[in-house]
Amino acid sequence: MSVSVLSTPRALGGVSGLLQVASLISLVLLLPKAAQHYLRRDWLLKALQQFPSPPSHWLYGHMQEFQEETELRPLLKGVEKYPSACVRWLWGTKALVLIYDPDYMKVVLGRSDPKSHDAYRLLIPWIGYGLLVLEEQTWFRHRRMLTPAFHYDILKPCVGLIADSARVMLDKWEGIINPDSHLEVLRHVSLMTLDTIMKCAFSHQGSIQTDRLNPEGRWGHRAWQLTHQHTDGVIRRRKAHLQKEGELEKVRSKRHLDFLDILLFARMENGSSLSDRELRAEVDTFMFEGHDTTASGISWTLYALASHPEHQQRCREEIQSLLGNGASITWDHLDQMPYITMCIKEALRLYPPVPFIFRDLSKPITFPDGRSLPVGIPLSLSFYGLHHNLKVWPKPEVFDPFRLAPGSSQHGAFLPFSGGSRNCIGKQFAMNEMKVAVALTLLCFELAPDPSRVPVPIPRVVLKPQNGIHLQLRKLL
């Protein structure tokens, strides 16, 4: 018993000693890291000293203020309070410069700074290294190869395909609406734009909107399946088929070309073609950017028109004057809808489908007002902030289609498809799809908002409405 009593202090002393040693080692290891963080923060403070910043916490910066559900409110306060740009601290030694001034945007978009890896790395496992995330010469080669896929000769036949997909959606709405309820339209529109992409990119037959194996409530899961499980098989089958068909002109003589045809026939300057991995990445990128962003644009436009019946009726009269005799909508009609186009653009100003993009400065930059930043500073180009900037847009929260009438001087501050050399390659396709879908919807239905469920925009990769967009639809005679 005495041995046990005497050994206990020794054991405790041994444990205490080990803890002291462990603490000392931890301190030695942490000190260089702490010094590194201190030096990085000190460098950032000096690099960013020309730019204002709201008060921030020393550790988690503005993270608590910029919660996802409320992020746009402090953003707009910053746009109003701080001219052109401000600093946003993320945490510790992470910070970026948020810009929302058209002149600042023009300088950045005129350069070739790389996309921010931290901002886009989560997308890469999903869409691969396609046009959205590629850099420098690889991006330039791919852009040149893909440009023919968006020539008007390729886009013309897509108008009929878009109209077919829109009619399937509208027929479904007619069967499910009733006067006492509101329909959540975004999930239906998303399925419709996915259907359109499948037809225009892969010449897909049928309509995935009526696929009984694909419940409407799982359109997001279906999109994942289509882009990730079926793309490789589609590419392999199309490759084998085109090898039998032979030359591009022979294929063109039999049917219209789709996006995948153009990619498979495309050649770089050295005569090489895209690898299977590169093909899949570009197809997946096109599916992602052409489906989700366009669905956002259409849905927010329908909400804006539902909330402003006078503009809705004027748009309806415009399309009725074009198609009043029951004619099908065609390519030639797209340039004959100036008011619908203005309303779509104003909705894209208020609710830009891509609310922000990111760049990492690869060389120093000086802005028009003389402020400058060194290499290595991340930038966030806030299109949402730009489109709601009081310096540019009087009463920016008001829906006013005449802001973006043809010839308006404000077009330089309107960037729903980004700008510069890396602007959205599919912007014409997207605008065509939005015009067709909005026009055909207004021919069939009168729209009204649900006052009990006002959609709150949430700035994710794509601007989404919290809890959806609920509209009341009344069938027109």
Side-chain angles (χ1 to χ4, degrees):
M1 178 69 88
S2 60
V3 173
S4 175
V5 170
L6 289 173
S7 63
T8 300
R10 293 197 192 108
L12 291 174
V15 171
S16 176
L18 287 172
L19 288 174
Q20 290 177 357
V21 171
S23 299
L24 183 60
I25 293 173
S26 299
L27 184 61
V28 170
L29 293 174
L30 287 173
L31 277 175
K33 198 71 176 175
Q36 182 182 354
H37 279 274
Y38 173 80
L39 292 173
R40 170 69 182 176
R41 184 172 176 84
D42 186 59
W43 179 83
L44 278 173
L45 288 169
K46 291 176 181 176
L48 303 173
Q49 62 184 344
Q50 297 179 48
F51 294 85
S53 172
S56 63
H57 188 272
W58 68 271
L59 178 61
Y60 46 77
H62 298 112
M63 295 297 286
Q64 283 192 329
E65 184 180 1
F66 285 91
Q67 297 298 318
E68 189 174 73
E69 291 75 13
T70 60
E71 182 169 347
L72 294 179
R73 276 179 283 177
L75 166 67
L76 294 182
K77 287 181 181 178
V79 171
E80 186 176 355
K81 184 175 182 179
Y82 305 110
S84 305
C86 68
V87 176
R88 178 172 168 183
W89 288 92
L90 305 179
W91 52 267
T93 56
K94 291 279 187 178
L96 56 78
V97 176
L98 188 69
I99 68 173
Y100 34 79
D101 177 273
D103 295 327
Y104 272 50
M105 293 269 189
K106 185 176 180 180
V107 172
V108 177
L109 294 173
R111 293 162 44 113
S112 56
D113 298 293
K115 298 284 186 77
S116 173
H117 177 75
D118 287 345
Y120 294 95
R121 61 187 171 83
L122 295 178
L123 284 177
I124 292 172
W126 185 11
I127 63 174
Y129 286 92
L131 208 58
L132 179 65
V133 295
L134 287 173
E135 297 298 342
E136 298 178 347
Q137 289 304 308
T138 306
W139 170 85
F140 181 74
R141 289 194 299 270
H142 283 223
R143 176 83 179 208
R144 288 187 62 177
M145 292 178 72
L146 268 64
T147 297
F150 298 94
H151 190 272
Y152 72 90
D153 283 340
I154 305 299
L155 297 181
K156 265 187 178 182
C158 289
V159 173
L161 300 175
I162 295 167
D164 290 343
S165 294
R167 288 191 189 96
V168 171
M169 178 185 73
L170 298 173
D171 288 345
K172 287 169 62 180
W173 286 1
E174 187 173 351
I176 61 178
I177 63 170
N178 68 72
D180 301 319
S181 67
H182 293 79
L183 182 72
E184 200 294 296
V185 298
L186 177 58
R187 63 188 180 95
H188 292 272
V189 174
S190 295
L191 198 58
M192 184 272 291
T193 59
L194 179 59
D195 191 21
T196 297
I197 287 290
M198 292 296 293
K199 290 173 178 174
C200 296
F202 300 135
S203 298
H204 178 77
Q205 301 300 312
S207 174
I208 61 172
Q209 298 182 80
T210 55
D211 184 353
R212 294 189 178 187
L213 298 177
N214 177 46
E216 287 176 14
R218 300 180 67 200
W219 61 263
H221 177 64
R222 177 65 169 171
W224 179 273
Q225 286 183 322
L226 286 167
T227 54
H228 288 268
Q229 294 180 15
H230 299 303
T231 303
D232 290 336
V234 171
I235 290 173
R236 283 195 301 271
R237 289 191 295 273
R238 182 66 62 83
K239 262 188 170 181
H241 176 71
L242 291 181
Q243 285 172 356
K244 294 178 183 177
E245 291 283 339
E247 298 298 322
L248 177 65
E249 291 308 316
K250 292 181 182 178
V251 177
R252 191 193 296 269
S253 67
K254 293 183 179 181
R255 59 174 174 81
H256 80 271
L257 300 177
D258 61 29
F259 180 74
L260 186 54
D261 290 326
I262 300 296
L263 289 184
L264 289 169
F265 277 112
R267 292 289 183 273
M268 297 183 194
E269 292 177 353
N270 62 4
S272 64
S273 58
L274 294 174
S275 68
D276 285 353
R277 178 178 291 182
E278 290 171 325
L279 277 168
R280 173 169 177 159
E282 295 300 354
V283 169
D284 285 349
T285 298
F286 181 58
M287 292 283 287
F288 164 70
E289 291 202 272
H291 144 238
D292 220 15
T293 55
T294 310
S296 173
I298 293 170
S299 300
W300 283 113
T301 300
L302 295 179
Y303 170 71
L305 291 175
S307 303
H308 299 86
E310 69 282 10
H311 296 300
Q312 179 186 160
Q313 182 57 27
R314 186 163 173 178
C315 288
R316 182 176 294 108
E317 291 169 357
E318 182 177 74
I319 191 63
Q320 284 174 337
S321 69
L322 287 176
L323 305 181
N325 61 355
S328 299
I329 194 165
T330 67
W331 173 270
D332 293 333
H333 289 131
L334 298 181
D335 287 333
Q336 299 177 54
M337 334 178 162
Y339 203 78
I340 289 176
T341 302
M342 286 160 52
C343 286
I344 291 172
K345 287 183 175 180
E346 176 67 349
L348 294 177
R349 182 193 68 80
L350 277 169
Y351 309 105
V354 178
F356 45 73
I357 60 173
F358 297 92
R359 295 285 189 271
D360 284 335
L361 290 179
S362 58
K363 56 185 178 181
I365 190 171
T366 300
F367 294 107
D369 57 8
R371 292 191 287 187
S372 61
L373 290 168
V375 174
I377 297 294
L379 302 180
S380 174
L381 282 67
S382 174
F383 299 131
Y384 192 93
L386 171 69
H387 288 179
H388 292 76
N389 192 335
L390 273 166
K391 284 173 37 181
V392 183
W393 309 97
K395 298 181 180 178
E397 303 308 315
V398 173
F399 182 81
D400 178 7
F402 292 98
R403 298 179 197 270
L404 293 160
S408 168
S409 61
Q410 302 293 67
H411 281 276
F414 174 66
L415 295 173
F417 302 106
S418 189
S421 62
R422 294 200 68 145
N423 66 349
C424 175
I425 193 173
K427 62 182 180 180
Q428 187 61 56
F429 178 88
M431 280 300 297
N432 292 349
E433 186 171 5
M434 285 187 276
K435 288 181 186 181
V436 172
V438 170
L440 293 182
T441 300
L442 296 181
L443 275 179
C444 295
F445 297 100
E446 184 179 89
L447 313 176
D450 180 353
S452 67
R453 286 182 286 193
V454 176
V456 177
I458 303 297
R460 297 172 182 163
V461 177
V462 174
L463 193 73
K464 293 289 181 72
Q466 188 179 30
N467 302 321
I469 293 178
H470 297 265
L471 301 179
Q472 186 178 51
L473 283 75
R474 184 176 67 85
K475 185 76 173 76
L476 295 173
L477 299 178

